[in-house]
Amino acid sequence: MISIIKNLSKTAVAVITASVIFSSCQKNNSDTVKPLAAANQSATVTGITTTLLTGNYGSPTPAPGTYGTKYLNIATGAQDSIGAITYHLTFTSTNNLAIAAKSGYTLKYLNTTKTLSTVNNSDYTSATTVSTTLGLNTATDSLNNPVGANGWLNYNITTHAVNYTHNVVLFLNNGTTTYAFQCYAADGQGSATLNRGRYWFRRGTLIN
């Protein structure tokens, strides 16, 4: 295990784990139910729904593995592994954890304790633009409190636990429409040599 870890990129390390993770079907999901907005807040993201992004099965070695690409339509939740659908995001690298925007779209992320429904255009403006891909958070633990994450997924090299990164909202904009989305659970399926990641997202459209 240690020799494998040493050969992985920071992104790849996130979900190349021993079978202790990928033989487990329990998803990390400590806050699956959140209110749309607190009593003193107005909803600024509409149509919030959930999507399970199911990664491709692949082998993690040599890094970044043989996981191919997952394509996601953030508006409808449609996904495939060949790009035949109308898509906005790609998930590549180890366990499909590296998120990138399709050409013509801007991907951003924001560290915030706001609920997804209450982020607004000011939050989008202040969010950090992703230049290539967004993947493993190496700046904080998974609870991300105080906030300061640089990714959306955490991996603990000691416990081999994979967790979504709390308090991170992602935005996708095409010049006309801005989508807001957030991972709220993650797990893996398979073995140490053949596995896939699964990621649950809330998603909606920014209206203010």
Side-chain angles (χ1 to χ4, degrees), residues 34 44-45 48 99 107-120 123-124 126-130 134 144 147 149-152 164-172 178-184 201-204 206:
K34 286 186 176 180
T44 49
V45 176
I48 294 179
I99 306 175
L107 178 65
K108 292 186 171 187
Y109 72 96
L110 178 72
N111 282 279
T112 179
T113 57
K114 286 185 174 182
T115 60
L116 181 64
S117 64
T118 59
V119 294
N120 55 37
D123 294 317
Y124 171 76
S126 64
T128 301
T129 299
V130 177
L134 184 69
N144 190 29
V147 296
N150 60 1
W152 66 279
Y164 73 98
T165 306
H166 293 63
N167 300 325
V168 174
V169 172
L170 291 82
F171 299 97
L172 186 73
T178 301
Y179 301 99
F181 59 108
Q182 184 177 45
C183 185
Y184 68 90
F201 291 95
R202 297 185 183 92
R203 56 183 175 83
L206 195 65

Side-chain angles (χ1 to χ4, degrees), residues 12 15-19 21-23 55-61 64-67 93-96 187-199:
V15 234
I16 303 305
T17 68
S19 57
I21 289 299
F22 283 101
S23 61
N56 300 316
Y57 272 106
S59 172
T61 55
T66 59
Y67 296 91
S93 193
T94 305
N95 288 105
N96 303 115
D187 74 2
Q189 293 180 320
S191 67
T193 56
L194 185 67
N195 49 60
R196 69 180 180 184
R198 300 193 303 169
Y199 313 113

